[in-house]
Amino acid sequence: MPDQTFQRVEINGGVVVGVDASASSLRALAVAAEEAARRNAVLHVVRAWSMRTAPRPPDCPPNAVPSMDAFQQEVERETEKLVQDRLGDTGVTTEIHAVHSPSPQALLAASRGADLLVVGHRGRGGFAGLMLGSVAEQCVRHAACPVLVVRPSV
């Protein structure tokens, strides 16, 4: 089996939020932006992706597989647009980290330098009936900083 090398997120301070375009992660994004504003801190938006979850570049012909660089660029573009659409101009300094990595590993790596990690209660890969999604649970158990799990609005 080939050895897969994943990217890591390394930051120095600020609020980290995991985003995957799910409703839960978009709520977490809004809460994380509020926390970053309160703390006068940088908001680090982490979008972990795989070939299965990355958006397909629009200029890629049918039946062709985009390059990893093309996937990376499209994930970055989509994430930047999502953040701009959801947050607008809040005055909070925002940095996008689109990384080819499983979500838990990307968020846990970012937590090593973060002041706070914000995750949504349910993301794209959840199993019905779990109290926390598997990513949120791993973050709560293993993060190197405080974790805020954002529940869905009622």
Side-chain angles (χ1 to χ4, degrees):
M1 178 181 242
D3 178 36
Q4 283 198 320
T5 303
F6 293 112
Q7 296 172 324
R8 297 179 59 87
V9 178
E10 295 181 10
I11 64 165
N12 187 16
V15 176
V16 172
V17 61
V19 173
D20 65 4
S22 67
S24 174
S25 76
L26 296 178
R27 174 115 170 85
L29 175 63
V31 171
E34 292 169 6
E35 283 294 324
R38 268 190 210 103
R39 298 163 184 255
N40 195 28
V42 174
L43 175 62
H44 296 274
V45 178
V46 176
R47 168 65 165 93
W49 65 273
S50 69
M51 288 180 67
R52 185 180 61 80
T53 63
R56 184 176 178 79
D59 59 349
C60 184
N63 301 320
V65 177
S67 69
M68 295 300 280
D69 285 341
F71 272 128
Q72 177 72 25
Q73 291 170 3
E74 186 61 18
V75 171
E76 289 172 359
R77 187 198 64 74
E78 184 181 83
T79 305
E80 288 170 4
K81 182 178 181 332
L82 182 142
V83 169
Q84 182 59 40
D85 290 350
R86 298 302 282 194
L87 299 182
D89 186 19
T90 61
V92 173
T93 301
T94 304
E95 293 183 15
I96 305 292
H97 305 271
V99 292
H100 179 241
S101 173
S103 298
Q105 286 87 334
L107 295 171
L108 292 173
S111 79
R112 292 186 191 112
D115 300 317
L116 177 68
L117 172 59
V118 181
V119 294
H121 176 256
R122 297 250 34 96
R124 290 189 179 266
F127 294 98
L130 290 179
M131 292 302 288
L132 287 177
S134 61
V135 172
E137 182 175 3
Q138 288 185 49
C139 289
V140 167
R141 290 179 185 267
H142 303 291
C145 68
V147 178
L148 173 59
V149 179
V150 178
R151 307 259 315 152
S153 56
V154 190

